Amino acid sequence: MSVNQQTHTGPPYGQPQPGYQGYQQPAYGGQPLPGVPHSQYGVYNGPMPGYQQPVPPQGSVRAPSTSGTSLSSGHLGYSPFGQGDVQNGIPASTAPMQRPPASQPFLPGSAPVPVSQTSMLQQYGPPPASVQQLSNHMAGMTIGSTSTSAPPPAGLGYGAPRPPTMPGPPLPVQTAAGPPTSQPNHVSSPPPPPSTLSGPYPGPPMSGLRGPPPPTHPPQPGYQMQQNGSFEQVRGPQTNYGGAYPGTPNYGSQPGPPPPPKRLDPDSIPSPQLNELPPQQKPRHRIDPDAIPSPIQVIEDDRSNRGSEPFVTGVRGQVPPLVTTNFLVKDQGNASPRYIRCTSYNIPCTSDMAKQSQVPLAAVIKPLATLPPDETLPYLVDHGESGPVRCNRCKAYMCPFMQFIEGGRRFQCCFCSCVTEVPPHYFQHLDHTGKRVDFYDRPELSLGSYEFLATVDYCKNNKFPSPPAFIFMIDVSYNAVKSGLVRLICEELKSLLDYLPREGNMEESAIRVGFVTYNKVLHFYNVKSSLAQPQMMVVSDVADMFVPLLDGFLVNVNESRTVIISLLDQIPEMFADTRETETVFGPVIQAGLEALKAAECAGKLFIFHTSLPIAEAPGKLKNRDDKKLINTDKEKTLFQPQTSFYNNLAKDCVAQGCCVDLFLFPNQYLDVATLGIVTYQTGGSIYKYAYFQLETDQDRFLNDLRRDVQKEVGFDAVMRVRTSTGIRATDFFGAFFMSNTTDVEMAGLDCDKTITVEFKHDDKLSEDSGALLQCALLYTSCAGQRRLRIHNLSLNCCTQLADLYRNCETDTLINYLAKYAYRGVLNSPVKTVRDALINQCAQILACYRKNCASPSSAGQLILPECMKLLPVYLNCVLKSDVLQPGLEVTTDDRAYIRQLVTSMDVAETNVFFYPRLLPVTKADVDSDSLPAAIRNSEERLSKGDIYLLENGLNIFVWVGVNVQQGLIQNLFGVSSFSQISSTLNTLPVLENPFSKKVRSIIDMLQVQRSRYMKLIIVKQEDKLEMLFKQFLVEDKSLTGGASYVDFLCHMHKEIRQLLS
Amino acid sequence: MATYLEFIQQNEERDGVRFSWNVWPSSRLEATRMVVPLACLLTPLKERPDLPPVQYEPVLCSRPTCKAVLNPLCQVDYRAKLWACNFCFQRNQFPPAYAGISEVNQPAELMPQFSTIEYIVQRGPQTPLIFLYVVDTCLEEEDLQALKESLQMSLSLLPADALVGLITFGRMVQVHELSCEGISKSYVFRGTKDLTAKQIQDMLGLSRPAVPVQQGRPLQTQEQPAISSRFLQPVHKIDMNLTDLLGELQRDPWPVTQGKRPLRSTGVALSIAVGLLEGTFPNTGARIMLFTGGPPTQGPGMVVGDELKTPIRSWHDIEKDNARFMKKATKHYETLANRTAANGHCIDIYACALDQTGLLEMKCCANLTGGHMVMGDSFNTSLFKQTFQRVFNKGFNGDFRMAFGASLEVKTSRELKIAGAIGPCVSLNAKGPCVSENELGIGGTSQWKICSLDPSTTLAIYFEVVNQHNAPIPQGGRGAVQFVTQYQHSSTQKRIRVTTIARNWADAQSQLQHIEAAFDQEAAAVLMARLGVYRAESEEGPDVLRWLDRQLIRLCQKFGQYNKDDPNSFRLSESFSLYPQFMFHLRRSPFLQVFNNSPDESSYYRHHFARQDLTQSLIMIQPILYAYSFHGPPEPVLLDSSSILPDRILLMDTFFQIVIYLGETIAQWQKAGYQDMPEYENFKHLLQAPLDDAQEILQTRFPMPRYIHTEHGGSQARFLLSKVNPSQTHNNLYAWGQESGAPILTDDVSLQVFMDHLKKLAVSSAS
């Protein structure tokens, strides 16, 4: 694939211009041509129809568009051979079904095509055939998959690797499901690896539905061809490769047509021809999107397969259901996946294996995760004055994996094998199986997650902590006052203060509150209950911050209620006439820190801030925003803080347990990268409301504020992850501070914060004992109780790479990769980071291909079942604003997102990178379920429908131009499309089933997310649609992000290069 | 010499001036041989109910270096409408307004009885008086409550248009904004960090944005009050508000752990107070009133650490150079004091605590600015309450007895030069031809600034006779001195008081008896004492005593009549007779003796000694002792142990203390309750008499003295016993058993012994 080459050389996607011209491969080119994509499509497909058609049977779709060129292109994408790839492209179709499976091979039948001079054919006429074949395959596959419930077809893939790997999906299923015709073809065709389902095809649900198409699609020959191809590949993979190269030259550099000839590949022959024909070929590479692995399908399958049964954690190394699946967890000795998810539940025994596979071993830990109401919270265990029972050597806490020996007098540590005496008060006899008799009475022996009550030894200064405090620090500069923000906050606080977090059984919250306002100076308030009126204390010595009062600053809400209310009433009045526009920021945090220090407690600062702090004070910043730095080596500076002041401050904050939550209301650049440092390192949250306007943003802000204030949070936390000998936690990602290499310190840790931990081998693991993780979190509860929360997880170990690949979780992997990349941009040029990401994934997949997939044509793209979504998700990561900023994205946005993602859990990263797109017009107004999601591509949108798209930060309501007036009336309360106001930020409350349904869906989505999402109404063909389109992540983005199809081609090429 | 006594008294009444010598030795050489320097005690604002101020500008000598004010001593040529300056002999034209002048139509300033005259002049805008309270909140609840009440009460005593401000301090310093409704607002400063005036003004938002002064619009005058109004408000506007604010004042909320002193940021609080006024109201009458209940324990100006186990410095520590904070603190307060003085403001210190509060270090604040210094045990005592109330006393004509921003200029005739001044003033560094090179006290200038003064404020001014021996002054020549005091009256008027005096010159060789007869031993004693005390501030105690002794001996040698080496023949004339006794008591006084006094007490005593008028000063040097008995009416008795008799009630006034002492018998009677029996009503009256007298003193004196009522054998009797001349001690036991007084347990020498030694030394030919 020339394409591939191109990608390699330069910015894969972007550059291709030349390629295009020459070849005009849509695949690549598509991306590059920012503006025009549409037209291209149009042109090629003959398009519209082409697309539409596809809806039904892929085959049909293909047929049209392809006819000729398109096909070839598609093939080219995947297969080595220039044209053959096209086929590959097809294969790319997702393999929806195979959860189980081992690997899905995308196999591009590419190879085949070429073999038989397909290229020629394709170009001229025949090509279609091949295409069709592919499509058929796809269809077949998909069908099979769809029909099958769970595991299905994984194997179906063409080249589906080795049968053995395919666990679940019995062949039969496929056959059953799949339209007979097509499948048979497949099956038969791929004689070699019959068992396997070709991952590729299964893909798109669409296809599944269409299942039927096969028949219609004619070109059986095509099938054969493919099959042939695949076979051929199998047979003579080498040739295939060769072919590939040749192809490339064509694309990449027309002139330099490489050495195609060298190998005998059939392709070589065609290639020249290609050259001749370039212009016409434009349309050529068109891989049916439905033919490539579909996230939606995977999600749906998992949901239907695993959503019904509770997930019981008793078994070692079990892969949990996807984060998108609703399931119940029963803790029987391992921590719930809500607390810990791993990239793989089967760890290579040796570091060599790990290195070879390149699969990162990481756990995404959310120690204080909120559980659904029907799951029980971790039990609190009190081991008395001597504290929790621990291993003498490694200090691991008592857990279900500890082995009691010598009649229960001692226990052997499951992490370090050291034998420790059981303290007398903890002694218990063992039963005949060697289990302690009290096994089921003690959570720490029978459960994966539980809490210990910490003794005074676990407290700072050997003193039990005081209850934490919340300090509200409100910017009262001109901007904040004028926008009505100050008044809004004060009003909200009046009621919000009644909802401070409290321990389950307590009547009122133990948390004390304090208030500060500031502009260039700070105002502290004495709200002691004995006062008739609050007192304001102004500290203007911002260079050397201190707290002017102690008694009366932090108070109990109920005791000081009247004074607080009076204060909140007066703050907006007092500053109503302010003309002060400058603000400070560093001193504000210092003030909060000092206040907590003085009160000797941990706590949280809620800072409401509006502008770049340019007033003379420590931590003063200057505007250094410079978009010209993008795509230069200096781009990383945009993510780095401009002064080390805040790093040092953060360190102090962490030492005191002072967590900082930041609410930003910028009207211009305010350097989130710098301001956010303290928040970031103290485990706090940042919320940003650019161009805050009362009418449009207050709901969102207030909801966020409420949630932020009320959510469960631990303070002054230290987390340590212990592991079995053999692996070691080596790297940590998230919002925290580390003063050494093992302890993750967080001034505050709330229920949404997640820490991703990477493990590396430092020795061998054994298959027998597996690998254990114990995450211990020492923290102070909101009532001021010192506790240890323990999560244990046991993983399997493997000596076969296949086991690793079979037990991976792509969502977690993406979580890790995204965080890794987002941290990388601090130190390396963004391009380097992107390349590294692509490279790592290519290696992962190549390793699979090489070691696990059944031998098949190199032209086939074969993906492990568990990772078949890796390319699409990875592409989303690559296209995210941090790694490839969109046009409208500000530097602050990028810094903001970078920090957000760093502490996201798997579910959040999942939806953030691959937004959920729901066709609401198809929703069943009578049921409370969500409509089935569809893939994020413009071609999936129908002009006559309304869609919701959510990514955890925003919800878009997309309205097609042809939506029935009735629906519009029902939803927006206006009579026509043109009257819909795109400035709406909520849907009007209308009494009709449709409106109710849509609003309830939105509410449901809002509840699921840790932040209140901004609602944006997008009318088709309106200017806002540009923004919306950026979230259609399977499409090319305006700023050069590759479409899914293109990226898949690119990955394939990368993989092939690695394999060769 | 009754005439001299009368003369002296008359002069004092009229001009508020007492000279050590009322006839002046005419040459430098002779003057130095007189031992006691030519000097005077000047009470610039002495109350003169009979002196109505005149409402015009004084007429000045036109010589730029002179500028003396037209006075009765000037020669006037009524026809030519000229007058000759009696200091520089410049002939001056009368101003046009004086066109109608003639022998019979003289302006007041030319009349002899107006040797002291006061002018009211119109100069500059009148700004109201400013009172800035700086209040320590590290007090016991009781004390704070009392202080709050006193402060609230004081609001009603202030002039209605006066501006008030409030700064409180403890660990932090709070500047309270007074203009706001609802939430009370204050600016807080950390007590450990010294700030420059500029920083303080910036932080308080007082720095005026640089408004380009275009076309000279009088914007500034309007803005100035507006800006500072947040912290300084007219009393009548915010007295309710401020009363509430004071009422809500809480004790410093920062916890004080066991074994620690509260952290008290006095140094910074004062600094901020000074900075606040400096920026907003330079050169207007303003009082910073510091109320503190303990020593500064942190930040600049800290006097002692917060560890209770390390006690505050004592004289012993200071002698051993063991007072680690003293120098730095003193420097801090000196800097502040000088800044304050430069701005024409004054600092009062009201320190109430059982232990020391750091007056030693802070004394300069009051000393240099003319502020009050009050020391008490607690704010919850009448001593403090009444004293504080008396600050706002009004004079005979309803004016507050306080004046601000005074500058005193002294002009002398050519034969005299000015050596210096001692009192609550700072030098204005006005060099001139009449400034001597030899300094006594604060010298090197002919002008001093007295930021705050009251009618009793008295300065000692020292002169040097510079006339050479070989240039005799013609017979009948007189030397003249003019004191010109410009000040802001409490009514905010600008006034100028001019006192011009003249004395005869006499040739010491031929007219020594004149000079001798004109010696004012009281004034001389006080003037010498001031010099001594002034020296004691910077020199070792014994050195000062030795110097005093030497002066005394020399004086006796010069003016005593004796035969050489025959002590018994020694006699002093009447005009010198009391002087040695004054010196004896001065030597024993707390002004020069630090034994048994804390450094704070010494500073306190010295402070008052350096500003009180002659009568009060003498009381301080030699307390007055009255005896009440059935043997006759109350009578002054010798300050001697022999005066302590069982059947007497003694009343001693040391200025700082009023002691009532019941003799042994009287005390027993009282215990027996005779005073309650109708038949012994006379006893009741006897008991009452000294109380009434004491009350009278207590009523009028500022600061109110400590009132001590004790009896024979009472522990408080020590106040009496330490003051009386120990004529009977345990060392001369012969006195035992006699009915002639009480022995004092002391090794101090008695007056008798002192005099014997003095005589011996005076007549000795060896010296």
Side-chain angles (χ1 to χ4, degrees), chain A residues 989-1003:
Chain A
V989 178
L990 300 174
E991 285 302 313
N992 63 69
F994 181 61
S995 171
K996 279 186 194 163
K997 177 66 187 173
V998 175
R999 281 182 290 116
S1000 83
I1001 290 175
I1002 290 175
D1003 290 345

PDB file of all heavy atoms in Angstrom, chain A residues 989-1003:
ATOM      1  N   VAL A 989     -39.496  21.699  28.419  1.00  0.00           N
ATOM      2  CA  VAL A 989     -40.286  20.655  29.083  1.00  0.00           C
ATOM      3  C   VAL A 989     -41.660  20.623  28.429  1.00  0.00           C
ATOM      4  O   VAL A 989     -42.455  21.546  28.603  1.00  0.00           O
ATOM      5  CB  VAL A 989     -40.410  20.955  30.585  1.00  0.00           C
ATOM      6  CG1 VAL A 989     -41.269  19.905  31.259  1.00  0.00           C
ATOM      7  CG2 VAL A 989     -39.037  21.036  31.205  1.00  0.00           C
ATOM      8  N   LEU A 990     -41.894  19.611  27.660  1.00  0.00           N
ATOM      9  CA  LEU A 990     -43.168  19.515  26.958  1.00  0.00           C
ATOM     10  C   LEU A 990     -43.859  18.220  27.356  1.00  0.00           C
ATOM     11  O   LEU A 990     -43.204  17.195  27.584  1.00  0.00           O
ATOM     12  CB  LEU A 990     -42.948  19.535  25.441  1.00  0.00           C
ATOM     13  CG  LEU A 990     -42.267  20.815  24.915  1.00  0.00           C
ATOM     14  CD1 LEU A 990     -41.973  20.674  23.438  1.00  0.00           C
ATOM     15  CD2 LEU A 990     -43.148  22.031  25.175  1.00  0.00           C
ATOM     16  N   GLU A 991     -45.133  18.305  27.433  1.00  0.00           N
ATOM     17  CA  GLU A 991     -45.893  17.144  27.890  1.00  0.00           C
ATOM     18  C   GLU A 991     -46.274  16.234  26.717  1.00  0.00           C
ATOM     19  O   GLU A 991     -47.406  16.244  26.259  1.00  0.00           O
ATOM     20  CB  GLU A 991     -47.151  17.591  28.634  1.00  0.00           C
ATOM     21  CG  GLU A 991     -46.868  18.108  30.027  1.00  0.00           C
ATOM     22  CD  GLU A 991     -46.172  17.073  30.903  1.00  0.00           C
ATOM     23  OE1 GLU A 991     -46.621  15.912  30.920  1.00  0.00           O
ATOM     24  OE2 GLU A 991     -45.158  17.423  31.545  1.00  0.00           O
ATOM     25  N   ASN A 992     -45.331  15.547  26.210  1.00  0.00           N
ATOM     26  CA  ASN A 992     -45.692  14.542  25.223  1.00  0.00           C
ATOM     27  C   ASN A 992     -44.679  13.423  25.331  1.00  0.00           C
ATOM     28  O   ASN A 992     -43.564  13.613  25.834  1.00  0.00           O
ATOM     29  CB  ASN A 992     -45.729  15.151  23.816  1.00  0.00           C
ATOM     30  CG  ASN A 992     -44.362  15.660  23.391  1.00  0.00           C
ATOM     31  OD1 ASN A 992     -43.451  14.880  23.156  1.00  0.00           O
ATOM     32  ND2 ASN A 992     -44.210  16.981  23.328  1.00  0.00           N
ATOM     33  N   PRO A 993     -45.053  12.283  24.966  1.00  0.00           N
ATOM     34  CA  PRO A 993     -44.220  11.090  25.200  1.00  0.00           C
ATOM     35  C   PRO A 993     -42.823  11.236  24.618  1.00  0.00           C
ATOM     36  O   PRO A 993     -41.846  10.877  25.246  1.00  0.00           O
ATOM     37  CB  PRO A 993     -44.979   9.969  24.496  1.00  0.00           C
ATOM     38  CG  PRO A 993     -46.356  10.478  24.311  1.00  0.00           C
ATOM     39  CD  PRO A 993     -46.294  11.958  24.254  1.00  0.00           C
ATOM     40  N   PHE A 994     -42.753  11.806  23.463  1.00  0.00           N
ATOM     41  CA  PHE A 994     -41.439  11.884  22.810  1.00  0.00           C
ATOM     42  C   PHE A 994     -40.502  12.815  23.578  1.00  0.00           C
ATOM     43  O   PHE A 994     -39.357  12.491  23.868  1.00  0.00           O
ATOM     44  CB  PHE A 994     -41.609  12.351  21.365  1.00  0.00           C
ATOM     45  CG  PHE A 994     -40.302  12.420  20.631  1.00  0.00           C
ATOM     46  CD1 PHE A 994     -39.523  11.263  20.446  1.00  0.00           C
ATOM     47  CD2 PHE A 994     -39.826  13.620  20.127  1.00  0.00           C
ATOM     48  CE1 PHE A 994     -38.314  11.322  19.769  1.00  0.00           C
ATOM     49  CE2 PHE A 994     -38.615  13.673  19.448  1.00  0.00           C
ATOM     50  CZ  PHE A 994     -37.863  12.517  19.274  1.00  0.00           C
ATOM     51  N   SER A 995     -41.020  13.967  23.905  1.00  0.00           N
ATOM     52  CA  SER A 995     -40.213  14.907  24.665  1.00  0.00           C
ATOM     53  C   SER A 995     -39.792  14.279  25.983  1.00  0.00           C
ATOM     54  O   SER A 995     -38.637  14.368  26.391  1.00  0.00           O
ATOM     55  CB  SER A 995     -41.011  16.183  24.915  1.00  0.00           C
ATOM     56  OG  SER A 995     -40.318  17.000  25.819  1.00  0.00           O
ATOM     57  N   LYS A 996     -40.723  13.664  26.624  1.00  0.00           N
ATOM     58  CA  LYS A 996     -40.401  13.049  27.916  1.00  0.00           C
ATOM     59  C   LYS A 996     -39.321  11.999  27.747  1.00  0.00           C
ATOM     60  O   LYS A 996     -38.394  11.903  28.542  1.00  0.00           O
ATOM     61  CB  LYS A 996     -41.639  12.381  28.515  1.00  0.00           C
ATOM     62  CG  LYS A 996     -42.567  13.353  29.219  1.00  0.00           C
ATOM     63  CD  LYS A 996     -43.678  12.564  29.911  1.00  0.00           C
ATOM     64  CE  LYS A 996     -44.807  13.468  30.328  1.00  0.00           C
ATOM     65  NZ  LYS A 996     -46.026  12.688  30.616  1.00  0.00           N
ATOM     66  N   LYS A 997     -39.484  11.228  26.718  1.00  0.00           N
ATOM     67  CA  LYS A 997     -38.534  10.150  26.500  1.00  0.00           C
ATOM     68  C   LYS A 997     -37.130  10.711  26.278  1.00  0.00           C
ATOM     69  O   LYS A 997     -36.176  10.283  26.905  1.00  0.00           O
ATOM     70  CB  LYS A 997     -38.979   9.334  25.275  1.00  0.00           C
ATOM     71  CG  LYS A 997     -38.013   8.223  24.904  1.00  0.00           C
ATOM     72  CD  LYS A 997     -37.957   7.149  25.977  1.00  0.00           C
ATOM     73  CE  LYS A 997     -36.870   6.139  25.696  1.00  0.00           C
ATOM     74  NZ  LYS A 997     -36.700   5.189  26.794  1.00  0.00           N
ATOM     75  N   VAL A 998     -37.048  11.690  25.406  1.00  0.00           N
ATOM     76  CA  VAL A 998     -35.731  12.239  25.100  1.00  0.00           C
ATOM     77  C   VAL A 998     -35.122  12.856  26.348  1.00  0.00           C
ATOM     78  O   VAL A 998     -33.948  12.662  26.660  1.00  0.00           O
ATOM     79  CB  VAL A 998     -35.821  13.284  23.979  1.00  0.00           C
ATOM     80  CG1 VAL A 998     -34.456  13.925  23.763  1.00  0.00           C
ATOM     81  CG2 VAL A 998     -36.324  12.633  22.703  1.00  0.00           C
ATOM     82  N   ARG A 999     -35.952  13.577  27.071  1.00  0.00           N
ATOM     83  CA  ARG A 999     -35.402  14.208  28.267  1.00  0.00           C
ATOM     84  C   ARG A 999     -34.998  13.162  29.301  1.00  0.00           C
ATOM     85  O   ARG A 999     -33.998  13.325  30.003  1.00  0.00           O
ATOM     86  CB  ARG A 999     -36.409  15.204  28.843  1.00  0.00           C
ATOM     87  CG  ARG A 999     -36.404  16.528  28.053  1.00  0.00           C
ATOM     88  CD  ARG A 999     -37.342  17.562  28.623  1.00  0.00           C
ATOM     89  NE  ARG A 999     -38.747  17.206  28.429  1.00  0.00           N
ATOM     90  CZ  ARG A 999     -39.584  16.959  29.420  1.00  0.00           C
ATOM     91  NH1 ARG A 999     -39.188  17.038  30.653  1.00  0.00           N
ATOM     92  NH2 ARG A 999     -40.838  16.637  29.153  1.00  0.00           N
ATOM     93  N   SER A1000     -35.773  12.118  29.356  1.00  0.00           N
ATOM     94  CA  SER A1000     -35.404  11.103  30.345  1.00  0.00           C
ATOM     95  C   SER A1000     -34.124  10.390  29.922  1.00  0.00           C
ATOM     96  O   SER A1000     -33.309  10.013  30.747  1.00  0.00           O
ATOM     97  CB  SER A1000     -36.541  10.110  30.549  1.00  0.00           C
ATOM     98  OG  SER A1000     -36.500   9.123  29.541  1.00  0.00           O
ATOM     99  N   ILE A1001     -33.947  10.257  28.633  1.00  0.00           N
ATOM    100  CA  ILE A1001     -32.688   9.656  28.174  1.00  0.00           C
ATOM    101  C   ILE A1001     -31.528  10.556  28.575  1.00  0.00           C
ATOM    102  O   ILE A1001     -30.514  10.120  29.108  1.00  0.00           O
ATOM    103  CB  ILE A1001     -32.692   9.467  26.642  1.00  0.00           C
ATOM    104  CG1 ILE A1001     -33.681   8.374  26.256  1.00  0.00           C
ATOM    105  CG2 ILE A1001     -31.300   9.124  26.156  1.00  0.00           C
ATOM    106  CD1 ILE A1001     -33.845   8.199  24.762  1.00  0.00           C
ATOM    107  N   ILE A1002     -31.740  11.837  28.325  1.00  0.00           N
ATOM    108  CA  ILE A1002     -30.664  12.781  28.655  1.00  0.00           C
ATOM    109  C   ILE A1002     -30.384  12.745  30.151  1.00  0.00           C
ATOM    110  O   ILE A1002     -29.237  12.693  30.579  1.00  0.00           O
ATOM    111  CB  ILE A1002     -31.063  14.200  28.204  1.00  0.00           C
ATOM    112  CG1 ILE A1002     -31.048  14.263  26.681  1.00  0.00           C
ATOM    113  CG2 ILE A1002     -30.098  15.227  28.792  1.00  0.00           C
ATOM    114  CD1 ILE A1002     -31.544  15.561  26.112  1.00  0.00           C
ATOM    115  N   ASP A1003     -31.452  12.713  30.923  1.00  0.00           N
ATOM    116  CA  ASP A1003     -31.247  12.659  32.368  1.00  0.00           C
ATOM    117  C   ASP A1003     -30.487  11.402  32.757  1.00  0.00           C
ATOM    118  O   ASP A1003     -29.597  11.421  33.611  1.00  0.00           O
ATOM    119  CB  ASP A1003     -32.593  12.686  33.092  1.00  0.00           C
ATOM    120  CG  ASP A1003     -33.260  14.050  32.961  1.00  0.00           C
ATOM    121  OD1 ASP A1003     -32.546  14.994  32.575  1.00  0.00           O
ATOM    122  OD2 ASP A1003     -34.472  14.148  33.224  1.00  0.00           O
TER     123      ASP A1003
END
